[in-house]
Amino acid sequence: VQKSLVRDGQIKNALVALSEALDSRAILTGEAITERYSRDWSGDYVGEPAAVLRPSDTSEVAAAVRICRDACLPIIPQGGHTGLVGGATPDAAGQIVLSLERMNRIRALDSLSMTMVVEAGCILQTAKEAALAQGCLFPLTLGAQGSCQIGGNVATNAGGLNVLRYGMMRNLVLGLEAVLADGRVFSDLRALRKNNTGLDLKQLFIGTEGTLGIVTAAALRLYPQPRWVETLWLSAESITGIMALYDHCRREAGELLSAFELITAPCLELALELDPNSPLPGDVARFPAHALIEIASSGGPDLRPWVEELVASMFENGLAQTGLMAHSTAQAAALWRIREIMVEAQQRRGLHLRTDISVPISAIPLFAARIDEVLAQALPGVKVLTYGHVGDGNLHINALPPAHLQGSAFRPWLLPLTRKINEVVDAFGGSISAEHGIGITKRTALEERLAPVDRELMHAMKATLDPDGLLSPGRILVV
Ligand SMILES: Cc1cc2nc3c(=O)[nH]c(=O)nc-3n(C[C@H](O)[C@H](O)[C@H](O)COP(=O)(O)OP(=O)(O)OC[C@H]3O[C@@H](n4cnc5c(N)ncnc54)[C@H](O)[C@@H]3O)c2cc1C
């Protein structure tokens, strides 16, 4: 009781100081704190922020951090709440949420240098549209792009659909501005493509999920907007067949291959339940594995005749069994909608298993087969949903519960089934987190796998940058 009284006093005093340092719209307390700030998209964790701070510029973030540090109040940075590992959700009580949502300006866009400087709270879709308006492409593309923010993308080192061509967020960040745990501002927003001047300090804040600093702005790398985009759906007899298609496309299309997604039959079945009017040919549903492929170029001659030849050759040599080449932008969008709706359909089924792993690309067929065996043995009747960015060796092995374990009855199974999957990942030399990060959900699994040197270095880095452990405590590292 005494501890919580002291904490209440600290919060009260801090709020007085905060109300002097920040503008009137920046602080939410009590009933003004809506559910939005207490949970994320997954709904796996629900917290109770002591207060929500919504600074409008970097100096307000720095002031807020200094006041919270003086009052020993832990801070959880929040972006668009679409993270899938619980990192942005505050604990039950006493933590301060720092939302970047009001810092959403595009500070600069240079279409000759192909760079833009964007504040952390800018929604990814908005940043993409601003680039498009200048004939440029910001290539990060993911299902949550209408809600997730640039700061969240940096903090999680987000991946998505076009990584095989453009890389993950880390590859797209040229410069960064971040507020440190003591309120100092690290600022290097020079959008330089070459800069070999010792330690690349911005990397400290990319993929570290707000544990080493609060990202306030980023200088981003842009590309020419694609002029010719061809979208294909091709089906095969097995995942091995899909990997043969991948190999062929990779070699023939080279760097023009922009996306290559695997969708297995159970995933397609779920999507078609929600979207029965898809443009797919009727026989597609008979095949066990499918690829959604994008080949694009930013200049040169029209790609269509060449891609038509490529597709014809894949049918002639038996690599593809059936499929569709989108004949319009609307049809291409309808194909991508199947990919999107498949995720939505899983969410609608309620509690289910979600994972995000990577293995060497060539190991995918054997790995997926082993997972099917292991899960069927562990829990007969479980419906395994395998899909993902196979061009990056990144699979999402998700699973729906058997009929008798719907809803919360499935909860006790989540951890044991995840453990089984992680054991197979280890056996194949893979990673337990390919693109979603560690957050709270995966910190124990990470801890079990960290080599002693890695653990020491990670803790040393945290101790140097956040000696009081006030930034996103308990995320990534078990404290
Ligand atoms: C439908 C759907 C599809 C998705 N598809 C993909 C995908 O294909 N690829 C992929 O990589 N991810 C995917 N995700 C996961 C998610 O969208 C990404 O992790 C995204 O980058 C999170 O951004 P956010 O702004 O929502 O961050 P939040 O969820 O708000 O936060 C995520 C983490 O970053 C920290 N953080 C947020 N903002 C900052 C900041 N400014 N400074 C420091 N730390 C900060 C938080 O504390 C938290 O730890 C998907 C999610 C959904 C719901």
Side-chain angles (χ1 to χ4, degrees), residues 80-217:
H81 313 96
T82 68
L84 296 174
V85 288
T89 313
D91 290 352
Q95 294 184 329
I96 305 287
V97 159
L98 194 145
S99 168
L100 279 298
E101 65 192 348
R102 289 177 67 215
M103 289 187 60
N104 55 9
R105 287 162 289 245
I106 292 177
R107 290 191 191 164
L109 198 154
D110 178 345
S111 61
L112 178 60
S113 304
M114 291 241 168
T115 57
M116 73 196 291
V117 177
V118 178
E119 289 186 343
C122 182
I123 299 222
L124 171 57
Q125 181 72 38
T126 310
K128 287 170 80 76
E129 282 165 11
L132 176 63
Q134 300 289 323
C136 300
L137 171 75
F138 181 60
L140 189 74
T141 303
L142 39 110
Q145 66 192 30
S147 306
C148 65
Q149 299 175 1
I150 294 296
N153 300 149
V154 172
T156 58
N157 186 25
L161 300 171
N162 297 129
V163 170
L164 88 168
R165 179 156 178 184
Y166 299 102
M168 294 183 70
M169 189 63 175
R170 190 184 300 284
N171 302 70
L172 304 173
V173 174
L174 296 172
L176 217 56
E177 180 187 86
V179 173
L180 306 183
D182 58 7
R184 281 179 299 163
V185 179
F186 164 84
S187 182
D188 186 359
L189 287 171
R190 287 174 300 170
L192 301 175
R193 275 146 207 276
K194 287 188 153 183
N195 178 13
N196 263 353
T197 49
L199 282 187
D200 186 0
L201 293 171
K202 67 177 177 294
Q203 301 298 342
L204 290 169
F205 309 102
I206 306 177
T208 48
E209 302 178 38
T211 58
L212 301 183
I214 298 172
V215 176
T216 48

Side-chain angles (χ1 to χ4, degrees), residues 270 273 345-353 379-385 399-414:
L270 272 189
E273 276 172 27
Q346 293 172 41
Q347 196 70 359
R348 287 194 188 195
R349 292 292 182 102
L351 193 63
H352 62 283
L353 177 76
L379 181 59
V382 73
K383 186 168 187 169
V384 182
L385 303 166
L400 299 179
H404 67 286
L405 284 177
Q406 296 294 310
S408 56
F410 191 47
R411 194 171 295 286
W413 285 92
L414 294 179

Side-chain angles (χ1 to χ4, degrees), residues 156-470:
T156 58
N157 186 25
L161 300 171
N162 297 129
V163 170
L164 88 168
R165 179 156 178 184
Y166 299 102
M168 294 183 70
M169 189 63 175
R170 190 184 300 284
N171 302 70
L172 304 173
V173 174
L174 296 172
L176 217 56
E177 180 187 86
V179 173
L180 306 183
D182 58 7
R184 281 179 299 163
V185 179
F186 164 84
S187 182
D188 186 359
L189 287 171
R190 287 174 300 170
L192 301 175
R193 275 146 207 276
K194 287 188 153 183
N195 178 13
N196 263 353
T197 49
L199 282 187
D200 186 0
L201 293 171
K202 67 177 177 294
Q203 301 298 342
L204 290 169
F205 309 102
I206 306 177
T208 48
E209 302 178 38
T211 58
L212 301 183
I214 298 172
V215 176
T216 48
L220 303 175
R221 184 195 292 267
L222 304 178
Y223 288 83
Q225 188 65 33
R227 188 179 301 166
W228 311 110
V229 181
E230 298 299 341
T231 308
L232 317 170
W233 181 287
L234 296 174
S235 305
E237 295 287 0
S238 61
I239 295 182
T240 306
I242 294 294
M243 297 316 291
L245 274 170
Y246 168 71
D247 190 31
H248 192 73
C249 288
R250 192 85 184 116
R251 287 171 195 281
E252 293 299 317
E255 63 280 5
L256 302 187
L257 184 62
S258 307
F260 195 104
E261 294 289 304
L262 165 74
I263 297 170
T264 55
C267 304
L268 179 61
E269 201 183 296
L270 272 189
L272 294 182
E273 276 172 27
L274 279 192
D275 184 16
N277 301 322
S278 89
L280 292 176
D283 62 342
V284 158
R286 283 200 291 115
F287 291 92
H290 314 273
L292 180 53
I293 305 165
E294 187 180 273
I295 298 173
S297 74
S298 311
D302 186 352
L303 276 185
R304 176 146 281 236
W306 177 78
V307 174
E308 279 172 350
E309 269 177 42
L310 176 70
V311 172
S313 75
M314 289 192 283
F315 277 101
E316 273 159 29
N317 60 22
L319 287 174
Q321 302 306 315
T322 187
L324 175 79
M325 179 165 169
H327 60 67
S328 65
T329 315
Q331 206 171 49
L335 292 179
W336 280 110
R337 173 132 180 86
I338 299 171
R339 169 68 174 77
E340 218 171 277
I341 222 169
M342 171 188 82
V343 179
E344 202 179 310
Q346 293 172 41
Q347 196 70 359
R348 287 194 188 195
R349 292 292 182 102
L351 193 63
H352 62 283
L353 177 76
R354 281 194 323 264
T355 68
D356 160 47
I357 61 86
S358 65
V359 290
I361 295 172
S362 56
I364 284 178
L366 275 182
F367 171 79
R370 182 75 191 122
I371 288 286
D372 282 346
E373 271 170 34
V374 165
L375 291 184
Q377 208 172 22
L379 181 59
V382 73
K383 186 168 187 169
V384 182
L385 303 166
T386 299
Y387 64 98
H389 320 296
V390 289
D392 316 316
N394 177 192
L395 290 182
H396 300 297
I397 309 278
N398 293 0
L400 299 179
H404 67 286
L405 284 177
Q406 296 294 310
S408 56
F410 191 47
R411 194 171 295 286
W413 285 92
L414 294 179
L415 194 56
L417 293 180
T418 305
R419 278 187 169 275
K420 294 264 175 216
I421 293 173
N422 287 347
E423 282 164 18
V424 184
V425 170
D426 291 342
F428 279 82
S431 165
I432 58 155
S433 180
E435 57 177 11
H436 293 165
I438 299 296
I440 295 177
T441 313
K442 295 190 178 182
R443 60 188 174 178
T444 307
L446 174 70
E447 172 66 21
E448 288 165 359
R449 287 165 177 79
L450 274 181
V453 174
D454 298 29
R455 185 182 298 110
E456 278 164 32
L457 286 175
M458 285 192 191
H459 280 282
M461 210 78 88
K462 176 74 176 165
T464 303
L465 281 159
D466 181 18
D468 303 319
L470 293 176

